Amino acid sequence: MMSIRRYAMLASLIPLPTLASDTQDPEVYAAIVSHRVEHSGAAAAFSGSTDAFLGDLLVTPASPFSDLKAEPSIAKSGWWKAMSKKLFPRAENPGAKALQALQTQMGVTKARPGVDYAVEPHVAALYRGVYPAAQAIKAGVDPDIFWQARTLNGSRFAEAAGEAVALQILRDQMKRNDASSYTAMAIRPEVLARYMSGLNPDYVRDEDRHYLGGVLRGALSSRLPSYAAGGLPSGLPTIYRVARIAAAYADAAGYANAPTCTAADLPIPEPGGPFCFAAATDRSVRSWYHREILWQEVRQPQAKQETAFEKLVHLVTPALFLLDGIALLELAEEAIASELLADEVIVKEEAALAAERAENITCRIR
């Protein structure tokens, strides 16, 4: 079996999204809301729905494997070109770039090897297969972190995925910020070093898992974590990164009952069942992940006292939809409205429109 050190050395050869750029795509949906507020007023801007918006982006929104619409109506709007140019002034085709960024940030893209992500044989070997490799590349998680989190969490894929993304965020924060700012930014390199040198779960301190839990919670609570804070250049939201890593673990483990991928348009399976994650949208993989967390808690109840990180996972589970503010656009709009209010673009009464819609959504979820 390849050592963690060997994984780390070979990881430098992988064109991961985290290494592709020193900038980050702006939040396109926030720009859309701002444009609508400016030109149509707050009441109109905050009157849409998640279902309607996704219906404009996807051919068959109800399918986990829906293709993207080639020309959604929003991209044909008269204002799209001007807005896109402001967002991506250096892009060769700003309109196409803005649409691509929007699709990624909305969680409607896939992770098909050879289609969405090129996976060279040596890279596939690092993740033990082209399917887990494509998903891990999309999530921006290095192979040494990918396998160390898996090793220190056993078969609990949901928790392993959360720790893997938290560790990657920490590593990227270390790379992207000057060491003199680590204390002020609560960046702790020693946590990463101790975790990556651990030989079994008992080597990981509870205080380190508590810290990683805080890193993950902070990233989940942010719609799009900044590049300096460990976000991906593509702006892929954290919950989709975590879900993709959990799916990659499932793919790497294999299935006894059926092939991993099929062309059939099947629904999201029951927990533990085979699913073609690579051909599913991020939103669908996220829905699977939510079920998987609940199933793992029933199938593998903790025999010992929970660690701080495990407690965080249990805390996050019922509130997963609430933390993931970009999946439900009504929740994202409340946060966007607060920012517009702070910038004095709208008044309190207009911000209250978005807050009321978000409250109605969260009441139904609870």
Side-chain angles (χ1 to χ4, degrees):
M1 182 179 293
M2 195 179 297
S3 68
I4 293 296
R5 181 175 297 179
R6 176 68 172 160
Y7 278 122
M9 181 181 73
L10 291 178
S12 64
L13 304 176
I14 303 175
L16 293 179
T18 49
L19 305 179
S21 172
D22 60 357
T23 60
Q24 186 179 47
D25 289 347
E27 186 181 355
V28 180
Y29 189 71
I32 291 172
V33 173
S34 296
H35 175 89
R36 287 175 171 170
V37 166
E38 180 182 355
H39 296 278
S40 304
F46 301 132
S47 63
S49 70
T50 300
D51 289 343
F53 196 82
L54 293 179
D56 188 36
L57 297 178
L58 296 168
V59 176
T60 50
S63 169
F65 307 104
S66 177
D67 289 326
L68 295 167
K69 286 185 178 178
E71 293 185 283
S73 62
I74 192 169
K76 293 186 282 187
S77 302
W79 48 267
W80 180 262
K81 185 175 180 180
M83 185 199 73
S84 300
K85 241 179 180 178
K86 288 182 180 179
L87 293 176
F88 300 96
R90 298 176 185 173
E92 184 177 341
N93 186 337
K97 175 62 178 173
L99 179 58
Q100 180 186 44
L102 177 66
Q103 291 164 338
T104 298
Q105 294 165 9
M106 289 294 102
V108 295
T109 59
K110 305 177 182 182
R112 296 163 294 182
V115 178
D116 303 302
Y117 295 91
V119 181
E120 298 297 328
H122 74 279
V123 176
L126 292 176
Y127 294 100
R128 302 179 197 171
V130 293
Y131 287 102
Q135 297 194 88
I137 289 171
K138 181 172 191 175
V141 172
D142 297 334
D144 59 332
I145 285 178
F146 181 85
W147 289 115
Q148 183 70 346
R150 172 70 174 79
T151 298
L152 298 187
N153 283 280
S155 60
R156 298 181 71 83
F157 294 168
E159 291 169 9
E163 282 195 347
V165 172
L167 288 161
Q168 187 67 53
I169 289 172
L170 174 57
R171 174 178 282 177
D172 290 339
Q173 288 176 342
M174 291 164 57
K175 290 178 181 177
R176 299 168 186 174
N177 296 279
D178 190 86
S180 62
S181 66
Y182 284 1
T183 301
M185 297 181 67
I187 297 173
R188 296 178 56 188
E190 71 277 11
V191 174
L192 178 65
R194 283 195 294 260
Y195 193 103
M196 296 306 292
S197 63
L199 301 179
N200 63 57
D202 292 335
Y203 278 73
V204 184
R205 301 181 184 182
D206 280 356
E207 65 185 82
D208 288 350
R209 282 204 149 116
H210 179 80
Y211 170 79
L212 292 173
V215 170
L216 181 64
R217 187 176 181 87
L220 285 170
S221 300
S222 173
R223 295 197 308 277
L224 298 182
S226 69
Y227 186 76
L232 292 182
S234 66
L236 184 69
T238 304
I239 188 59
Y240 299 141
R241 298 179 68 182
V242 175
R244 281 289 175 192
I245 293 300
Y249 287 140
D251 274 346
Y255 301 93
N257 307 351
T260 304
C261 272
T262 173
D265 191 8
L266 302 173
I268 297 173
E270 292 301 314
F275 186 41
C276 186
F277 298 108
T281 65
D282 292 333
R283 283 177 172 267
S284 299
V285 175
R286 170 185 173 277
S287 295
W288 164 85
Y289 176 69
H290 185 239
R291 297 184 190 185
E292 191 71 14
I293 290 178
L294 299 176
W295 183 61
Q296 285 189 16
E297 292 311 309
V298 173
R299 187 185 63 162
Q300 300 173 331
Q302 292 289 336
K304 61 179 182 178
Q305 185 176 4
E306 294 177 337
T307 68
F309 192 87
E310 289 161 351
K311 290 177 181 177
L312 175 73
V313 170
H314 298 160
L315 176 65
V316 167
T317 297
L320 197 58
F321 289 90
L322 302 182
L323 285 171
D324 182 15
I326 204 162
L328 292 169
L329 299 184
E330 292 85 351
L331 303 188
E333 287 175 3
E334 180 185 24
I336 294 169
S338 296
E339 293 163 6
L340 294 175
L341 177 63
D343 292 337
E344 299 183 346
V345 175
I346 60 176
V347 297
K348 287 183 179 179
E349 291 75 14
E350 292 173 319
L353 296 174
E356 183 177 350
R357 274 160 43 90
E359 179 64 23
N360 290 336
I361 292 288
T362 55
C363 284
R364 291 202 297 271
I365 294 174
R366 294 186 191 119

